Amino acid sequence: MTRHPTHHKKLIEWVEKCSRLCEPDDVVWIDGSAEEKARLEKEGVAGGELIPLNSDKLPGSFLHRTNPNDVARTEHLTYICTREKESAGPNNNWMEPKEAYQKARDIFKGSMKGRTMYVIPFSMGPVGSPFSKIGVEITDSRYVVLNMEIMTRVGAEVLKQLGTEGEFTHCLHSLADLDINRRLILHFPEDNTIWSVGSGYGGNVLLGKKCLSLRIASYQAKKEKWFAEHMLIMGIEDPSGRIRYIAAAFPSACGKTNLALLVPPEGLKKKGYRVWTVGDDIAWMRIDTDGALWAVNPETGFFGVAPGTNSKSNPNMVETIRKNTIYTNVLLKPDGTVWWEGADGEPPTRGIDWQGNPWKPGMIDKDGKPVLGAHPNSRFTTPISQCPSASFRLEQPHGVPISAIIFGGRRQHVAPLVYESFNWQHGVFVGATMASERTAAQYGKQGEVRRDPMAMLPFCGYNMAEYFRHWLDMGKRMKKAPKIFHVNWFRTDEKGKFLWPGYCENLRILEWIVDRCDGKIDAQKCPIGYMPKLENIDFTGLPLAAGTLEKLFRLDKKNWNDDLESIKEFFKQFKKDLPEELWQEYEALKERVSTLK
Ligand code: OXD
Ligand code: MN
């Protein structure tokens, strides 16, 4: 009989029930101690799940390889399981809960035979903060335990906070046989439960992240009147030492992590600007007693994409991942360090690729394509506390006050570099109509527009029409609502070349946004919102070719009309559920766009 480190009866009963279903050899409760971590790492190395990396150059770091059929989130196997189909809405896969539990139970049955079942109590958000939610993840993967220890607050202090009666999200995970035909990522928001089986990939199995902090939390946030959003949070310190915090939503692969860890360009640094990173992926936001919106990052780590990370795109991340980092599906160099496409320096002359095969630059596969050293979605898991720009308010139970919300996408032509919405309702429309064009790196037709409202399309745990209603209602509850902006770093010229240099130069636009929030400057009223007077953006030391600014801010009537058509199609799928206010905003925009020349 296992000894339990808790007197929480329901938790113990649930653990025993899962144990009877999965039939592990033994059950281990995770306490979050350093000794336990060292033991798990040692066992992981002995069992082949972890490869220790060069202890001088990357101390405390390991490499893990997932099954090659299991390298990304599997949206088509991800379900919202509510009693009514309508509650999941038109954008989620839906399964009836009874059927879903039965299907998964068949796969979980005996799946942990010969393995250890780990029980991980974890807190999303500082332990004991009014923002925080507790989950307990049961898993048969040591890799999951070690990643959860970086990404969340884990162990004894969480159990203490949970007490004998506390609410928690029931998260059950098993690798089972990693068969893609027996893989399911199931969310039961009405039961506060997540079941994930048949995968070992982070986004599917670190259940505190997308599954709890976005899908389950968004459902809870609607009920409890707060926000669970797919947003970075960063602080911008101005030369007077005042810090303004912003939250920003961009679809995956639009540079959220790079923006959150931005290092100011020379000119702005000299002026006295500094950036503080609060989070790169998830924001939980509440209206506090002052009537303003306050945000925490519920996570404690970054689960970042490795390819393309280098000293130019993200110098702070390069510093962060030098130690205590778990690398997944990257290339192993002969000196026991790692590499990926788009890393600093020259490619190594040889190494072991992400699938464990010998690799050399220039290798070609049977279809004539280059063999990649690292998988395009290879990752690092690393503690935020190691980041040079980590905010000193990460553990603040009340988080940080949000002055601006920013939405953005990857648009070649339509959206200008930046604009500000007229008011909250218009801002919700701007977020609800957010879109990105597919790049060559993504599945699907290049250039095709994918609408991704508030970057939540794959993560909203309920009907998106209800979600829009929630956003509108929250605006009415706030006394000091943040201003809402839209940015587009990805506008291109006639030859398809980016017009804006991006990366650290984006701070110039954030400076304008913060100045607008502080009421320091005025702006031009345009058909789509307020646009900057160019003299109010600091372009010092940024040589842009003649005519570039004009192109970055030009509004093209045909492009906007085409976009309105696509918005109409998108909105129509929500039928009568779409809040009337969004149709009003649509009509008003159409009217204003008709005045464009
Ligand atoms: C992520 C994503 O992994 O949004 O953060 O896809
Ligand atoms: Mn994300």
Side-chain angles (χ1 to χ4, degrees), residues 3 55 64 105 111 133 142 175 180 195 214 218 233-234 247 286 300 341 377 391 412 449 530 590 593:
R3 279 167 59 100
S55 58
H64 171 80
R105 209 176 278 122
S111 64
K133 296 279 179 195
R142 271 185 215 104
L175 297 166
I180 191 156
W195 279 19
L214 291 177
S218 61
I233 310 167
M234 64 196 282
R286 277 178 195 274
T300 52
E341 281 69 20
N377 192 34
S391 164
Q412 281 181 292
V449 176
Y530 294 110
K590 198 168 164 185
V593 164

Side-chain angles (χ1 to χ4, degrees), residues 73 209-210 214 230 250 252 256 280-282 459:
R73 284 185 289 104
K209 195 175 182 58
K210 303 296 189 183
L214 291 177
H230 189 200
F250 299 87
S252 308
K256 245 173 47 239
D280 78 325
D281 198 36
I282 297 173
F459 306 118

Side-chain angles (χ1 to χ4, degrees), residues 24 128 162 232 247 328 343 368 496 574 583:
L162 194 59
L232 67 89
T328 303
F574 300 105
W583 279 124

